[in-house]
Amino acid sequence: METAVVAVYLACMLAFGVWGRIRAKNQEDFLVAGRRLGPLVFMGTMAAVVLGGASTVGGVGLGYVHGLSGMWLVVCIGLGIIILSLLFAPTIQRLEIYTVSQMLELRYGIGSRTVSGIIMTAYGLMISTTSTVAYGAIFHSLLGIDRVPAVLIGGAVVIVYSMLGGMWSITMTDFVQFLIQTVGIFIILLPIVLTDAGGFTAIRNAVGPEAFDPVAIGPNMIITYVLIYTIGLLIGQDIWQRVFTARSPGTARWGGFAAGVYCVLYGAAGALVGVGARVLVPGIEDSDQVFTAVTEHALSPLLAGLVLSAALSAVMSTSSGALLAASTVLRQDVVEPALAKRTSTSSGLGEALRGSLVRETGDEVRDSRIYLVSLGIVSIILACVMTSVVDALTIAYNILVAGLFIPIVGGLVWKRGTIVGVLAGMIAGTGTAVIFMIVNGLFANTPIYFGLGASLIAYVVGSLMSRPTPERIMTAWQQRIRRGTEDTPRA
């Protein structure tokens, strides 16, 4: 029964992929759903894209190990969405671009796009990999097959429906997935697990009162989650690409705020499921296996199938969104600028412009699909050799935050920032974070502390020691971020 329910769910996801292919008639449809999403759909898709493998499978596992305080990873993700939506989303939506790296080029001028694009592509790949590991674990438990074939099955489904319709397919699958995970986690799994475990009093007596201490995980770990996930959510390409789909600045702000609040509640629910699982399925050594174990223990086959579909919903929505984000950045910010530069060097600027026009009027969607499928295959390969969803997510956010947070936010709030400061900040921050991850470990605070510190110093010093950004660039930037109003949605 569980297998049949999940099979129906996967078939529906593929059907939405076919529907999205019909809607995706041009590049804007494929990459940002035509920039036409209303508040409800936008809220659901924004929540779905951030609540992935680490939030669902990993979040329940953290609750199993740390009690209620295991919620902080997901809570910090929700806080990041809330801050982004209230402070920056309207400005981001008005830019009408496709990638974070394009924002850097608009603000600072030519020079930062390739480096930031490489960092953002690596981030997107790691986010997709975390989700691929997670749904591999679910298929492994559900079908009783080895982990590698399980990863291949789930990865193939995600690649196919994402490739067919791009953001339109992902938007519709994400909204359905949002509904499924809401029912599966909040209405089915959480109340049944808590009831079967005997309620809060019985759980407290069985595992100790510290299981319900909201800060038992420790201030250092909470601070680390804030630095990695809250800050990371402010600048992730997968998140910005969802903001680009909103039909107005108001939709981006309030739809995103609602999604952030939902994420906070989702984090608490997942941690409580993990606490109840301590009583129902004690002794599990691999925390990533807790979700499937408690689901199969507490639920009937039909309900277990629905809840496992909810987990797959959360995981696959994040994987598909990250794949589209990584492939968009790789194509638009890394490969095509390099090809254009090479063409302009060998054939002259006029020939380069003509080549650009040919690509612009050719089969853009076909090319975008090729990039997406290619990175999807890479993500599956990485998932076959990386076993911890939380480890992979930590690597991704360490690199992202240390390398890009200061240059991106600096561009939004400090007029004196320059392209020299951006490049210095990205290189110093990323390099420092990688060194400290190797020396002190993934979960040490030092990669973020020293990475952000090195990036900030390099950004400020590099900016002050170089010429200010040319006035024509700053004027164009100001005009772009000021256009549009809260009450003037995109047609």
Side-chain angles (χ1 to χ4, degrees), residues 62 66 69-73 213-222 225:
L62 287 172
H66 300 287
S69 66
M71 71 181 179
W72 277 102
L73 185 151
D213 183 351
V215 295
I217 199 170
N220 287 338
M221 187 59 70
I222 294 174
Y225 286 155

Side-chain angles (χ1 to χ4, degrees), residues 111-133:
S112 64
R113 193 168 174 181
T114 299
V115 177
S116 61
I118 291 172
I119 295 174
M120 200 63 75
T121 300
Y123 157 79
L125 267 178
M126 295 307 294
I127 295 297
S128 180
T129 299
T130 66
S131 300
T132 305
V133 170

Side-chain angles (χ1 to χ4, degrees), residues 281-306:
V281 285
I284 298 177
E285 296 182 0
D286 183 358
S287 62
D288 286 343
Q289 300 298 323
V290 173
F291 182 90
T292 52
V294 73
T295 297
E296 294 177 343
H297 180 276
L299 304 181
S300 67
L302 176 60
L303 291 180
L306 290 173

